[in-house]
Every structure is written in structure tokens, then in C-alpha cells.
Amino acid sequence: MAGIPDLLRRYHDARQAGDADVAAACLSLALQTPGYRDDARLCLALALLEGSQPQRAFLHLADALRHMRNAPPATCALPARAALDQHRANEADALLADALEHYPDDPTLRTWRWRALAATLPPETLAERMRAALPGIRQAAELRLVLRHLIPQAQAGEVAGAIAYDAAKGALRGWVVDLREPAQTVTLRLVAGQQEVALQARHAHPLLAAVGGPATHGGIVARITPYPGPVRLYGPDGRELPGSPLALVAPLPHLAAMDKAGAQPRRRGGGDAGSARPVDVLIPVYDGRDETLACIQSVLRAAKANRTPHRVIALNDASPDAGLSAALRELAQARRIDLVERPVNLGFIRNVNRGMLMHPAHDVVWLNADTRVNGNWLDRLRAAAYAARNTASATPFSNNGELLSFPRLREAAPMPGPAELAALDELAAARGNNPVEIETGCGFCLFIKRSALDEVGLLDETDLERGYGEETDWCLRARARGWKHVAATHVFVGHQGGVSFSDEKTALVKHNNDILRRRYPDAPARFDRYVRQDPLAPVRNALQRARLKPAAAWLKTRPRERTLWVQGPRAEQGAPDETLTLAYRMKSQGRIDATLRVAVPGLPITVNYALPDETSRLDEDLRRLGVQAIGLRHAAHCPAVLRELPTRLRIAPAERPAAWPAPVAADAHAPTTTALLIADDLSEAGVRRCWLSVARDLARQPAAERLYLLLPGEDAAWMREFLATGAVLRAPELGGLDSHQALALAGCTAAVSLNDAPDADWLAPWIASRAHLPLYAPASALALQAGARPLENLATAIPLPSACAA
């Protein structure tokens, strides 16, 4: 960078001075300079937003964010702003919801999210959601926006506010304001059993003052004695304040006595797997009647298969579902479960802590109420925990279990059906007890040894709120004292799981994560390293390979689906949905990563192979599946080890019939096109040369007016040459959006092929169909059959070289 002028400083100076030509020249040069490129993309995107070009802005923002690690929250909000400028509030909301999972308490993201919701929700629904979110609002900008929406709809006497119990100090804290008469001091009605007390909001509160509210009153601070039942606070309008009812429960100390005294860790005990200490299976219950009862029934059905003595204890945390509570009482009266009913909602941490103290000599299992177990799951889980003296906890595999997720790490998959779940657990069990150390356990199903619990202490209910990150804190505390956590790879537990963050939860996650980062500063780096290394990858792959045998039996009933299609990475983007595919990606020094996919019902089967080392294993698995034919897409570019598959297996090659997906109609009212999707396989040298010539011609246009060409995110040798033109970008990929939504926000209105002699393996119709875009291509019999529109009918002309135009 030495000797290069500060282009972006000159760019900003020129813009402020109104010198558009100098600003454009500086920005153009910055976009071509690697050291400036990422910041220059953002500058261009901001200029496009200000210039009312939200589609182009979105395209450059997506490209910039692809290259940025840990982008600041304000930058993450910009794609949503571009979506709102296109009147696509649902997409904006999805983008912001995804960003808030990474920055839950960021005021910019939260305020933009409310703007997106205001454009999608009815006013009454929006107001109700805002009221429910008030306890989690800690920033003045967000509260100001929320109150601005609530005030016009408020009735006389209606208040807004939030209340919480500070257990450490034994005090109620919060704020409340009369929406129509903010100068008036609000008097609340506190009800505890038969007692009723008037409580005035007569203290100053900094958050209210910061939004222009009352500076002398509105805050609530009141010392209060612990009370066993629910404590409710009502406003003058008779409505309960958000946060009510409250549980006035004194906090349990989360650190063991020896931790507070600074003692050394005790000698580890409990290494003998035969010393069958009883286990309490703790099932915290709040809502979800069907899921909860199905979970409990699965545990009860499996009881006879488990030799470990155990109790099934339902911890009913003041469920609002009377039917669920009644069903639990029936099970308890029949002595099938033990039932604890909390008079007021304690939240996960406090509920489970008190459950773990019920039998101080028992090991414990936390089992989410939306899980399913099979067979001797508890015996196997316990065996993993007791395989080593210094193991504190064991977590099973699951379709939705963070580090223990299957088939992909940290990706939730749908809950398998009962038969598939039982089969997965049976296949896992057949592998035997071979625990693998992991960074932390996962709370959906966590076995904790009592010896570890005695030494490490309980969950932290003093500093952590509600129950987000509590198992991470406990596991890291245990690790600091020399304990470890393992994956019970021979157990599979189904987990339904949640898929969305509530508005309040995002703030609570941020609060708890901040505490964890302060307590364990090295934990994020350790976690990232674990994810990169992924020590469970071989185990997941082995379990997937074990699923090939039942898959083969399923395929026997479907002889027409036993053709294997071999395809490269670009073909994978557009290939038709086949039952059997083998996707490959070339690596350095002749290495090949290959993935066999079997589209069975339920969780997909994906088995990975490192070729050529595992060629014999691949051949063996294909024989087991009963493959009857093998089709090679673009055989000329296929590596020899895969091209020779039909010969090695003595299987006939397959011919693909020319059957195409239904073409996507062009939108007559589509906005101005800013980008086109390249629908060709660029591993074909001739087609690649045509597209490269087009890209170089387009690059001569100004960046702010250029027509861009988009490609899915590939890792091919030729990709760098295309990207270097500046007119080719990777297709936008942003969390929360489907690929076709992202393409639409980027103003991509068509997929284009320049292949004038396509064959039966032509990918363009499939790529266009999956992107929800109409296809344009040179005239040919196959293009006509596939429903492609003539290239000359493309509304946006592209500069075709003579070799392509012929």
C-alpha cells in the first residue's frame, strides 16, 4: 500500500465538494485496488442507496459482506434497508432477524427490525408485539421508536412499561409511563395472594428521561420480601405490566463451596460404569402439550430397556396450558412419573436447579420436552459419561443439537418420524461406546454426573437471565476445573427445537453472551477451532454410511431410481432432483472430494469420500446400493477415477432423456435489470471464453450503471479471472433469504445461457428453474424444447462476441 494515495479519503472529499467526476474516478480506482476494495464496495453501495438504486446497492452490499468477517451491525442492517427501499418488508425482516442472532442487542438492527415489522403487521398486532418486547429494550433509540407507535393507539389510562425482580438485591425494578399523560405519576396495583398494595412509579429512570419522557418519575424501585406464589402488577387500565407475574424466589448459589473458598479440585470418582448411581430424568415443562406428552411417553416406553435405575420427573413451570397440566397430574397419579408443579414461572435455570437438588445423590439428565428417545438410551448415555473419571457430561447425537447435530454440524434438521428415529438410534447403538470429547454439552439432552455437579456447582441464576447459555457457562466452569465433556456417539435423540428468536430473547441472549465472554475470554477462539476441526465428522460419516444398507432395501422397490448421476460442483447447482447423485470437487495435487447423496424420505444420506484413497470404499458402497446405471454429466471434464466407475463396477452407462423443468415465465412488470444469472457450466472452455469476453465488455461501463453477471459461489480455477473483471460477482447469499429472494433483491430478472449447441446434460433449464428466473438462450432445437426464450428477446442487451453470436 506504500505510495498509494488515500483514495477513499479523496473520494469522500470530492463528494462533499460536489465534484462527481473526481469522486467517481477515485471510487473506480479503489474498487480495482485490493487493499481498498472491501471498503470501496460499501462506499459504492451507500452512494447507490442515496441515489435511489436499492437493487444495485443490495448487490454490492451482499458482495462486500461476503468478504468481511465480523461485519459491524450497522453494515449488517444495510441490506435490509435496501430491501425496504424496494418495498419488500418480509425480506427485510428476515435479513434483520438473522443479523439479530449475531448482534441481539444492537440498537440499529432492532430499530430497523421494528420498521420492517411496521410494514408487514397490522397495527394491533404490532402494538401487542411491542408491548411484549418492552422488558428487553435497553436503548433509547429503540424505546423512542416503540413509544412513537404505541402512543397514537393508546386509550385513556393505558400505560407502557416493564418490571423485573432483582433477586440478588431483593427488589422490584422497572419503569412505567402513562402513554396519554406522561406527566402523571402512575400508581400500580401489586397483588400477592390475598394481599394488595399500591406501588407508585415515583423514581427517576434514565431510559425514560433519554427518550424525552418524565425526568423526575416513572421509575420503580421497591424492596420486597420473597413470596412463594405469583406476584402480579397491574396498571390503572387493569392490564398486567410486561414481566408480570413475578417469581420472588431467592437465588441459589451457583458456585460450589470449594470454588468460593479457592480449594483445589477433588480427586475424580465414579469411573466404574457398573456402579449404577440412580438418575433423575428432569423434563422441564411449560408449553407444547403434544410434544411434551410424546416426549414423556417415549421415556416411559423405553424404561424396560434400561437397567439404570431412574425417575422421570416433570418440572411443570406454571404452564399456561390447563390441559397439559391435567395430563401430567394423571400420569403422576398413576405413578408413572414424579411431578413438581411450580406456582409461578421460574424460568429454565431456576426450575432445573431446584430439580437437580431433589435427590442430592443422583446423577441427572436434562431432557427437553420436545425430544424423543428410544431403546436403552439412558444406559448408553450413562456409559459414555462414565467411560472416564474426568468426564462431567455426555450429549447424544440429534437432528437438532448444535455441535451434535446430524447430518451437518450446527445445522438443525427436521425431527425424524418415529420409525426413522428408532432406526437412526439403532444404527448409532451398533457402533458401540466410543465417546468423543467436545467443547461443551448441549442442553436438549445432557447427562451430568453428580460428582461433577457437586464440585462445579449449580447453574448460575444470579447473573444469567431466563435460561440462554446456561449449559455453556456450566460446561466451561467444569472445564476450568479439569473436567471434560463428551459426545455419546452411540445414542441418537430426536429434538424438535425452536426456529425463531422472540424480540425479548434476542436481548437476553446478548446479556448472557456478554457475561460468558467476560468470564471465558478464550472460549470463542476454542469454539471456532473446534468447528473448523470438526472431530465428529468421521463419526457422522460412519453413521451415514451405516444407513446405506436400509437405503439399499428401499431402492430395491424403486428400480427406476437406481441410476447414479455423477456431477461436478457447477452441475450440482442446476441438476435435476435425482435419487442417487455423486458430486465431486477437485482439490490440489489430484485429490478429489466426493459426496454420495441418497434422497431417501426423511433425513438425507450424504457420505463423503477422499479420492483416490477411498476408491474401493466408494465402489463397495455403490454395489451395496444396487446401482444399475451410471450417468456422467459432462464426461469430458470428469476425473478418470469417476469416469471409470461404469467399467470398474461393470455397470452400463446411462443416457439422460431430454426432460426439462417447466420454464419460468418472464415478469412483464419486472423492475429494471441490474444483473443476469450465468446459467452455463463454465468448465466448458468454449462457453467460458464467450462469457469472459462479455464480462470484459461490461466492465467498461461505470460501476454505478454496470450490468453485472452473477455466478453461484464456486471455487474453480477460472473463477478468479472472471471476478477480476469487476463485472462478475458471486450470486448474493445472505442469511435469512432463499437464493431466489436474494437474486430478486439484486434486480436479477433472467438466467442466460450462451451455449449454442447444448446436449441432454444441459444445466441451464435447471439453474433457471431453481432460481425462479426465465431462461434466455441461443436458438436451438433443445432450447426450444426446454422452453428457453430467444436470446435476442432479452430486454437488456449484452455485448455478444462474434463466436457466441454466430
Side-chain angles (χ1 to χ4, degrees):
M1 294 295 296
I4 298 179
D6 189 346
L7 293 171
L8 295 182
R9 179 180 57 78
R10 291 183 59 193
Y11 162 76
H12 288 297
D13 289 346
R15 286 199 74 198
Q16 290 180 357
D19 194 337
D21 291 340
V22 172
C26 290
L27 187 58
S28 177
L29 185 56
L31 288 167
Q32 300 172 50
T33 307
Y36 285 101
R37 190 169 293 145
D38 290 343
D39 289 334
R41 287 188 182 101
L42 286 178
C43 290
L44 176 58
L46 287 169
L48 290 167
L49 278 175
E50 293 171 5
S52 300
Q53 297 189 62
Q55 293 174 340
R56 295 182 188 278
F58 180 86
L59 183 59
H60 288 287
L61 286 166
D63 197 50
L65 288 169
R66 183 194 298 275
H67 295 86
M68 296 176 67
R69 293 193 63 185
N70 302 318
T75 302
C76 294
L78 291 174
R81 176 183 163 187
L84 285 173
D85 286 353
Q86 299 180 54
H87 308 290
R88 303 190 67 146
N90 288 325
E91 287 86 345
D93 181 46
L95 286 164
L96 291 163
D98 181 79
L100 279 165
E101 293 197 22
H102 302 284
Y103 301 102
D105 203 29
D106 180 74
T108 301
L109 291 172
R110 289 174 67 90
T111 51
W112 274 104
R113 180 106 194 267
W114 287 123
R115 291 188 178 108
L117 290 172
T120 59
L121 297 177
E124 300 80 8
T125 305
L126 178 66
E128 197 60 36
R129 188 158 174 176
M130 286 179 163
R131 290 188 194 96
L134 288 172
I137 296 179
R138 296 178 173 86
Q139 301 288 340
E142 182 182 6
L143 183 59
R144 187 180 297 111
L145 182 148
V146 167
L147 292 178
R148 193 179 297 134
H149 278 277
L150 293 178
I151 288 172
Q153 303 177 54
Q155 304 297 317
E158 185 176 340
V159 301
I163 193 71
Y165 176 56
D166 185 342
K169 297 182 179 179
L172 292 180
R173 296 184 181 275
W175 60 271
V176 63
V177 63
D178 189 308
L179 291 172
R180 298 284 293 273
E181 300 288 342
Q184 178 178 310
T185 301
V186 175
T187 300
L188 300 174
R189 188 163 52 93
L190 184 150
V191 179
Q194 301 300 315
Q195 299 181 358
E196 186 172 318
V197 178
L199 184 64
Q200 279 197 323
R202 54 187 178 83
H203 298 270
H205 195 281
L207 188 58
L208 282 179
V211 299
T216 58
H217 62 275
I220 302 166
V221 181
R223 301 282 298 181
I224 191 165
T225 304
Y227 180 76
V231 173
R232 301 179 182 275
L233 276 87
Y234 298 92
D237 58 353
R239 179 181 294 179
E240 274 191 88
L241 209 62
S244 172
L246 297 165
L248 307 189
V249 178
L252 297 171
H254 66 277
L255 298 177
M258 62 174 52
D259 283 297
K260 291 184 284 187
Q264 295 298 313
R266 293 182 295 183
R267 181 180 178 183
R268 304 283 144 73
D272 179 11
S275 59
R277 184 194 291 267
V279 177
D280 286 349
V281 179
L282 304 176
I283 305 177
V285 174
Y286 181 71
D287 211 343
R289 184 190 312 183
D290 294 341
E291 294 83 359
T292 299
L293 296 178
C295 168
I296 292 173
Q297 289 298 335
S298 75
V299 177
L300 295 177
R301 280 194 303 271
K304 291 183 179 178
N306 288 275
R307 301 177 63 184
T308 302
H310 63 280
R311 293 170 177 259
V312 181
I313 305 175
L315 305 173
N316 186 353
D317 200 15
S319 171
D321 186 338
L324 173 57
S325 297
L328 294 175
R329 292 187 195 108
E330 287 183 12
L331 288 169
Q333 289 166 3
R335 298 188 177 182
R336 303 194 69 196
I337 66 170
D338 292 349
L339 176 62
V340 176
E341 296 192 275
R342 310 293 184 199
V344 63
N345 183 264
L346 300 179
F348 180 87
I349 294 177
R350 293 187 290 180
N351 191 20
V352 169
N353 267 352
R354 284 151 184 79
M356 292 193 295
L357 292 179
M358 290 176 63
H359 304 108
H362 292 191
D363 292 334
V364 297
V365 173
W366 310 347
L367 189 65
N368 275 18
D370 58 350
T371 56
R372 308 286 186 278
V373 301
N374 281 279
N376 62 335
W377 70 282
L378 186 56
D379 288 350
R380 285 176 277 142
L381 197 57
R382 187 183 186 284
Y386 277 89
R389 289 180 179 271
N390 66 335
T391 298
S393 75
T395 309
F397 265 139
S398 176
N399 59 292
N400 184 0
E402 278 292 329
L403 297 180
L404 282 301
S405 286
F406 177 92
R408 294 175 64 88
L409 172 74
R410 301 186 70 195
E411 287 189 15
M415 167 78 94
E420 184 184 7
L421 184 56
L424 282 165
D425 186 56
E426 186 176 342
L427 289 172
R431 293 184 41 78
N433 185 22
N434 185 24
V436 176
E437 185 172 359
I438 55 179
E439 278 298 295
T440 65
C442 188
F444 75 95
C445 179
L446 188 68
F447 187 109
I448 299 179
K449 285 157 63 172
R450 179 59 63 169
S451 52
L453 200 57
D454 287 343
E455 183 177 327
V456 177
L458 298 171
L459 302 178
D460 179 0
E461 61 183 62
T462 303
D463 297 323
L464 299 182
E465 295 187 18
R466 285 292 190 94
Y468 309 117
E470 68 288 329
E471 78 269 43
T472 300
D473 177 68
W474 190 89
C475 288
L476 292 176
R477 232 188 312 144
R479 180 180 288 282
R481 298 193 63 83
W483 293 91
K484 70 176 184 178
H485 311 284
V486 300
T489 59
H490 62 325
V491 189
F492 197 103
V493 172
H495 179 209
Q496 185 72 39
V499 294
S500 64
F501 273 26
S502 69
D503 301 311
E504 181 185 4
K505 180 177 177 180
T506 58
L508 298 179
V509 170
K510 168 66 163 54
H511 172 85
N512 289 358
N513 284 345
D514 286 346
I515 292 174
L516 296 183
R517 278 191 288 269
R518 289 195 298 271
R519 287 180 179 174
Y520 316 103
D522 65 332
R526 288 177 56 93
F527 186 84
D528 290 344
R529 184 167 58 251
Y530 176 92
V531 171
R532 287 195 304 271
Q533 295 172 348
D534 192 9
L536 287 174
V539 186
R540 283 194 299 271
N541 201 50
L543 181 55
Q544 287 282 40
R545 194 163 180 249
R547 299 177 67 203
L548 293 178
K549 182 177 180 180
W554 178 78
L555 282 169
K556 279 185 178 179
T557 65
R558 293 163 173 80
R560 294 183 180 179
E561 299 178 37
R562 288 159 68 184
T563 296
L564 174 74
W565 292 97
V566 181
Q567 57 199 33
R570 178 62 169 158
E572 190 179 346
Q573 298 290 336
D577 294 322
E578 304 287 0
T579 302
L580 290 171
T581 59
L582 183 67
Y584 66 87
R585 185 178 294 275
M586 304 300 299
K587 308 293 283 187
S588 60
Q589 299 179 339
R591 317 294 293 180
I592 303 165
D593 285 345
T595 301
L596 173 65
R597 293 185 174 88
V598 188
V600 294
L603 297 184
I605 296 177
T606 56
V607 184
N608 298 317
Y609 304 86
L611 303 178
D613 295 351
E614 295 182 322
T615 300
S616 59
R617 176 174 289 184
L618 171 62
D619 293 353
E620 176 189 346
D621 289 346
L622 295 180
R623 290 189 184 98
R624 288 170 62 193
L625 284 171
V627 173
Q628 292 184 335
I630 297 179
L632 304 178
R633 293 200 173 96
H634 303 293
H637 307 286
C638 189
V641 68
L642 297 177
R643 204 165 54 244
E644 296 164 359
L645 267 174
T647 303
R648 288 201 311 271
L649 300 181
R650 299 180 181 179
I651 292 175
E655 292 292 335
R656 168 164 297 286
W660 310 108
V664 177
D667 185 355
H669 306 288
T672 304
T673 298
T674 62
L676 299 173
L677 182 68
I678 297 177
D680 284 318
D681 180 1
L682 297 188
S683 63
E684 299 183 50
V687 176
R688 183 168 69 248
R689 282 194 298 271
C690 286
W691 276 114
L692 189 57
S693 177
V694 170
R696 286 169 175 163
D697 283 341
L698 292 175
R700 297 186 179 95
Q701 301 173 354
E705 303 171 7
R706 183 178 299 155
L707 174 67
Y708 287 89
L709 306 177
L710 304 182
L711 269 174
E714 298 186 47
D715 184 19
W718 45 260
M719 189 67 170
R720 182 174 298 179
E721 189 176 16
F722 273 79
L723 296 176
T725 66
V728 178
L729 301 175
R730 296 182 190 269
E733 295 178 359
L734 288 173
L737 296 182
D738 295 332
S739 60
H740 65 275
Q741 291 176 309
L743 287 169
L745 285 171
C748 183
T749 57
V752 178
S753 169
L754 298 184
N755 190 340
D756 58 2
D759 57 20
D761 281 336
W762 194 34
L763 297 175
W766 299 98
I767 292 173
S769 176
R770 293 190 174 184
H772 297 198
L773 293 172
L775 174 64
Y776 293 82
S780 71
L782 216 55
L784 181 64
Q785 185 180 353
R789 293 166 173 262
L791 195 57
E792 56 268 23
N793 289 1
L794 187 63
T796 301
I798 57 176
L800 290 179
S802 58
C804 298

